[in-house]
Amino acid sequence: MSQPDTKFGEYGGQYVPEALMPAIEELTEAYRRYVLNNEDGFMDEFYERIRDFGGRPTPLQYAEQLSARYGVDVYLKREDLLHGGAHKLNNALGQVLLAKYMGKERIIAETGAGQHGTATAMAAAHLDMPCEIYMGRRDINRQRPNVFRMRINGAEVTPVDVGRGTLKEAISETMRDWARTVETTHYVIGSIVGPAPFPAMVRDFHAIISEEIREQSREKLGGLPGAVVACAGGGSNTMGAFADFLEDDDVRLYAAEAGGSSLTVDEEAGVAPHSASLSTGEEGVLHGARTKLLQDGHGQIMESHSVSSGLDYSGVGPQLSHLVDEGRVTPVAVDDELALEAFHRLSQAEGIIPALETAHAFGFLESVAGPDGDGAVDLPETVVVNVSGRGDKDLEAAIEETEKRTLENAPTMEVFEG
Amino acid sequence: MSRDGERTESAASADPRGTDGSERADADGPDASGSTLEAAFDEPAFVPYLAAGDPDFESSLEYVEALAAGGADVIELGLPFSEPIAEGPTIQQAVVRSLEAGMTPERFFEFVDALDVEVPLVCMTYYNLIYQFGPAGSEPVRPFVERAAAAGIEGLVVPDLPAEEADLLRGYCDELGLDLVFIVAPTTAGDRLHRMMERVSGYVYVQARLGVTGARDDLSDSTEGTLERLEGYDVPKAVGFGISTGEHAEAVVAAGADGVIVGSALVDIVARGHENDEPAEAVAAELESLSRELKAGAVAGAKRTPRPEGT
């Protein structure tokens, strides 16, 4: 019988109010039975639904222009083609289905960019469960299309006004709801964060990404890729893309974090102008887990920043923290500008408009192997980049952020003026 | 705060790696011989909470002293953390006011040093602040407990630290003479309850209802069930979450509690005073008056239901 992972080295654990502990024990047991041991054919049903409803498997596509630009074979794992436009559905569908098996009556979730909220709203509609999504006010304003999608799918969207109104506050507020409603409600956490068993369970639902990459690489490359690159906020697409390669030491794993506008911090104001917790964070306890965090010298959590809402979080999954300490995963920080350029480059060169989150992974390739690249990393012959989501939700933000800057490769947006 | 010389001394002389906290020495229950907190529950206790430094350092000193003047038997002082996941809107706002006024963990201990009260104090805070306290590179958790002991704090409540993760902190609290209070929720039962009761000391915080902190008009009916589950454990039971009037306090004690914990109803007074620019004396007088009502309620509750010996 497989047993749940609760700690990753010193990271992880269950730092939550007592009221939630019985629910977490119940969830741990359900995770062990249904997910790890496929009781009642749970995983069979999950695979069937993620195929028929979600559209899996997603393609592994050769990127001709990028390959020519970087002098290596670049393959794209097209999670942007999953139903809903991002990898998020893997986890959302898995957890909503699990909640059903557990006999829960209601779904709650937090969302940052709105991708997880959208995926949860779709999964809840698909499985006929009432659903409430907490979203920071600032993110609601940045991600209006996703707010509409959630509402249209029948979910309640509740704005969170505390603090800066981003993902961190939305998670805190969802945990408060859960503490009140724990007997009937399941909290579908949106990343590999939070108390055990969430980090391991969310990873397992997303692991299908790397399982497919392995299979598809064998067919297309005749072997495993030399590296897998994924963006990392909380880290769910990252761990999903890495999970099946952890034991393959020849496959390098790069986690592209949001370098924001700068990697320095303003301690006085409690603000970090980035979200690079793997590269710069210190060990601490946030939202139920011990992990790497952006915090001040006193242990107060700092506000993070990124041009992309989905990476804008002060913490990161505990397993990624552990893998970075072990040297298995290499974190790289990609700043706002590099990400925006990569957003336009992928759109123009490959005809794929990526999410701003995803653009960070491509920004990494450019920063090391582009015409002005620093060569800090010598890319292997084949690189798989996880295209974690599509950029439709980001169009307004991307245009606005592009206009603030002078980017070499940005198209003119004059058509929108007047 | 009157210093407890003996305690400070024992903290200083303690073996730095003495207790790893893996096992509680007196697993049968709390050590009844030394707990100042437990002694505070000899008669039905009123345990108020305020966030230290809300809305500013000086006013907050006055407010906490007003609680003592109003009959507090133990005072829970909140050390504000930026992500208070167990708190409702009232205390979240208090945390914001206090942090904006410059509260830090070190400043919190200066606050305790500056307080002129004889009532035993408990620090309520979140684990990350305990974990990060101390000079860079020092071992985690111990410096905080040492500093708290030196300031004369009698105990700690850590809402995001369940019994499963608490052994390290429990070990240092034992070593340095602090009590560690755990929160028992309406959902806590069976093995979990037992694990927690093996580790608790001072008093047990009985969470009257699911959810987060906040004043309510009605009383929860889950309290009696929780108190029943706790009957066999020889440690004072203080009920909190939602208590806001003397009547509530009376009913809770009549149901078998040894004390009442009141936070949001008092923080509401501080918040209103701050919003309306009331002078600190007026706010303090209001706090003292509600304290008297709550304390009287608790005492009245004990008279309503004569409790058996030894509880």
Side-chain angles (χ1 to χ4, degrees), chain A residues 135-139 159-170 172-173 176 270-271 301-304, chain B residues 82-84 89 92-93 95-96 99-100:
Chain A
M135 188 169 185
R137 178 78 69 182
R138 183 185 157 89
D139 285 339
V160 179
D161 287 310
V162 216
R164 232 175 103 249
T166 62
L167 182 56
K168 172 166 76 77
E169 289 80 20
S172 292
E173 199 55 32
R176 292 184 187 109
V271 175
I301 309 306
M302 287 201 278
E303 300 292 350
S304 55
Chain B
S82 55
E83 299 304 309
Q92 285 179 48
Q93 291 308 321
V95 164
V96 169
L99 287 175
E100 280 178 356

Side-chain angles (χ1 to χ4, degrees), chain A residues 184-197:
Chain A
T184 56
T185 298
H186 176 67
Y187 175 12
V188 179
I189 208 163
S191 192
I192 53 162
V193 302

Side-chain angles (χ1 to χ4, degrees), chain A residues 14-223:
Chain A
Q14 300 176 314
Y15 298 86
V16 291
E18 171 56 26
L20 295 180
M21 283 304 294
I24 283 173
E25 287 188 335
E26 183 190 346
L27 179 62
T28 304
E29 182 58 14
Y31 165 54
R32 191 186 63 75
R33 288 174 52 198
Y34 297 122
V35 180
L36 296 180
N37 295 294
N38 195 26
E39 261 186 45
D40 300 345
F42 172 85
M43 286 305 282
D44 302 330
E45 182 173 352
F46 168 67
Y47 285 126
E48 188 183 329
R49 286 183 187 273
I50 198 68
R51 184 188 69 215
D52 295 348
F53 177 65
R56 296 213 77 92
T58 61
L60 184 70
Q61 179 213 334
Y62 181 63
E64 291 173 65
Q65 313 298 331
L66 291 189
S67 295
R69 184 177 181 90
Y70 301 130
V72 298
D73 285 338
V74 177
Y75 286 85
L76 309 177
K77 179 58 176 168
R78 297 292 306 277
E79 290 296 294
D80 59 314
L81 294 178
L82 191 64
H83 180 41
H87 70 290
K88 293 289 186 188
L89 184 67
N90 301 322
N91 168 53
L93 183 67
Q95 285 201 54
V96 176
L97 187 63
L98 187 64
K100 252 202 136 84
Y101 273 60
M102 291 169 72
K104 298 290 179 186
E105 297 160 9
R106 172 177 174 258
I107 294 298
I108 54 172
E110 88 293 339
T111 197
Q115 291 298 78
H116 173 58
T118 304
T120 306
M122 293 184 324
H126 173 64
L127 291 164
D128 193 23
M129 295 272 268
C131 174
E132 181 171 353
I133 308 289
Y134 288 90
M135 188 169 185
R137 178 78 69 182
R138 183 185 157 89
D139 285 339
I140 286 181
N141 294 333
R142 285 198 282 190
Q143 303 286 348
R144 294 173 60 79
N146 273 342
V147 177
F148 297 140
R149 291 165 79 198
M150 287 183 266
R151 292 288 296 129
I152 287 168
N153 274 135
E156 291 296 327
V157 178
T158 305
V160 179
D161 287 310
V162 216
R164 232 175 103 249
T166 62
L167 182 56
K168 172 166 76 77
E169 289 80 20
I171 294 179
S172 292
E173 199 55 32
T174 317
M175 285 192 164
R176 292 184 187 109
D177 179 313
W178 202 28
R180 190 167 61 238
T181 58
V182 64
E183 289 163 318
T184 56
T185 298
H186 176 67
Y187 175 12
V188 179
I189 208 163
S191 192
I192 53 162
V193 302
F198 282 113
M201 185 174 72
V202 175
R203 173 203 63 203
D204 290 352
F205 286 130
H206 282 304
I208 194 166
I209 302 172
S210 50
E211 288 159 11
E212 286 177 7
I213 295 176
R214 173 179 288 271
E215 190 72 28
Q216 293 163 327
S217 299
R218 284 225 177 91
E219 286 166 21
K220 301 203 164 186
L221 329 173

Side-chain angles (χ1 to χ4, degrees), chain A residues 7 13-19 21-22 25 162 168 172 176 179-180 183 283-285 290 295 298-301, chain B residues 80-85 87 92 99 104 128-129 131-132 159-160 162 165 183 185 187-188 192 195-196 210-211:
Chain A
K7 297 220 168 159
Q14 300 176 314
Y15 298 86
V16 291
E18 171 56 26
M21 283 304 294
E25 287 188 335
V162 216
K168 172 166 76 77
S172 292
R176 292 184 187 109
R180 190 167 61 238
E183 289 163 318
E283 185 191 344
V285 173
R290 185 183 293 196
Q295 54 188 324
H298 303 298
Q300 305 290 1
I301 309 306
Chain B
F81 176 53
S82 55
E83 299 304 309
I85 55 174
E87 316 295 353
Q92 285 179 48
L99 287 175
T104 65
N128 200 46
L129 296 190
Y131 196 79
Q132 304 301 335
D160 64 342
E165 307 286 354
I183 299 173
T187 45
T188 313
R192 287 203 48 73
R195 257 202 307 276
M196 189 175 295
L210 285 175

